[in-house]
Amino acid sequence: MNVQFKKGVLELCVLALTAKADRYGYELVHRLSETLEIAEGTVYPILRRLTKEGLFTTYLAESSEGPPRKYYHLTTKGEQYLADQVREWREFYTSVNQVIEEDASP
Amino acid sequence: MNVQFKKGVLELCVLALTAKADRYGYELVHRLSETLEIAEGTVYPILRRLTKEGLFTTYLAESSEGPPRKYYHLTTKGEQYLADQVREWREFYTSVNQVIEEDASP
DNA sequence: GCCACTACTAAACAATGCAAGGTACTGAAA
DNA sequence: TTTCAGTACCTTGCATTGTTTAGTAGTGGC
């Protein structure tokens, strides 16, 4: 998996998954690993940063299978930011595909 | 335009455009600026790097409108690399869209 | 000669993913 | 009881790569 492709997009994926339901870090790592290869050391800094920026609130919940989980909940500000990012992402990959296809089949 | 999205993809775009025809740097900057916002100082380092890696050969051609242009020509190695990158790109954005849509319309 | 445009280069800077390391709780196997 | 695997969290330093900013140099019009 091309590491460079992921830049900035992982943040978008974390936001998107958390919009569907509150998530905890470990869960996000494993969910995202199914399709995109992603490391723990990548996810936690993103969560910290986005929480600091007010896009997430957090709360702890006990688990029967290990230490308590820190859940992340998307704020209203987070939802707006996510919507913007999704729009930008769509514009972006459409542009890239135009450049590629322009070339692949002229 | 999200700066981080561009990382890694610019290389792909430069390769894709050069696969269609030999290009010179200034031309690439202006073509790519049409869709992605991009600076001169970004393109030339990519060209230098890819040339060093054997994906491009270069030659000079005179221009009636300024100094001679340095054209970049994709090598066979470059074509193979491009094909790989395009395949990876398609897999990548498909995965990202799955994650986003999973969330946007469940 | 001077200026705008074209073409390219160089160096310091910033953002972000990753590897590697650490802490700590639970339950089952030894 | 000790040990190990699985769960869950977090931090640090590194590598990669685009950006910013500045600079060099040729051409043609004023």
Side-chain angles (χ1 to χ4, degrees):
Chain A
M1 172 75 60
N2 188 323
V3 174
Q4 297 307 316
F5 286 167
K6 298 181 193 173
K7 301 251 168 171
V9 177
L10 292 180
E11 179 188 293
L12 172 62
C13 291
V14 166
L15 286 163
L17 286 178
T18 311
K20 193 180 184 182
D22 292 359
R23 311 281 188 183
Y24 55 96
Y26 194 77
E27 181 188 10
L28 288 168
V29 172
H30 286 266
R31 276 188 165 257
L32 290 172
S33 292
E34 289 169 18
T35 43
L36 313 164
E37 286 149 47
I38 191 174
E40 281 199 357
T42 303
V43 173
Y44 289 109
I46 291 175
L47 291 171
R48 212 192 318 150
R49 197 180 79 239
L50 297 181
T51 303
K52 194 181 166 190
E53 290 170 8
L55 308 185
F56 287 138
T57 53
T58 65
Y59 59 92
L60 288 173
E62 293 203 2
S63 163
S64 58
E65 297 170 47
R69 296 164 174 168
K70 187 190 265 187
Y71 279 88
Y72 292 82
H73 173 78
L74 202 62
T75 63
T76 305
K77 186 178 172 188
E79 283 169 16
Q80 290 172 345
Y81 181 73
L82 170 59
D84 285 346
Q85 287 295 105
V86 168
R87 187 175 35 69
E88 269 195 45
W89 162 252
R90 292 196 211 279
E91 284 171 15
F92 172 75
Y93 84 71
T94 303
S95 296
V96 173
N97 282 341
Q98 271 172 21
V99 172
I100 293 172
E101 260 122 59
E102 216 175 87
D103 181 77
S105 53
Chain B
M1 172 74 62
N2 187 321
V3 174
Q4 296 308 316
F5 286 169
K6 299 182 198 172
K7 301 229 173 182
V9 177
L10 289 179
E11 180 188 294
L12 173 62
C13 291
V14 166
L15 286 164
L17 286 177
T18 312
K20 193 180 184 183
D22 293 358
R23 311 282 188 183
Y24 54 97
Y26 195 78
E27 181 188 10
L28 288 168
V29 172
H30 286 265
R31 276 188 164 256
L32 290 172
S33 293
E34 289 169 18
T35 44
L36 314 164
E37 286 148 49
I38 192 175
E40 280 200 1
T42 303
V43 173
Y44 290 108
I46 291 174
L47 292 171
R48 219 182 313 150
R49 197 180 79 239
L50 297 181
T51 303
K52 195 179 165 191
E53 290 170 7
L55 307 185
F56 287 138
T57 53
T58 65
Y59 58 93
L60 288 174
E62 291 203 4
S63 163
S64 58
E65 297 170 46
R69 297 165 174 168
K70 187 191 267 186
Y71 280 88
Y72 293 82
H73 173 77
L74 202 61
T75 62
T76 306
K77 186 178 172 186
E79 283 170 16
Q80 289 172 346
Y81 181 73
L82 170 60
D84 286 345
Q85 288 295 103
V86 168
R87 187 175 36 70
E88 269 194 46
W89 162 252
R90 291 196 210 279
E91 285 171 15
F92 174 76
Y93 85 72
T94 303
S95 296
V96 173
N97 281 341
Q98 272 172 21
V99 172
I100 293 172
E101 259 123 60
E102 217 176 87
D103 182 78
S105 52

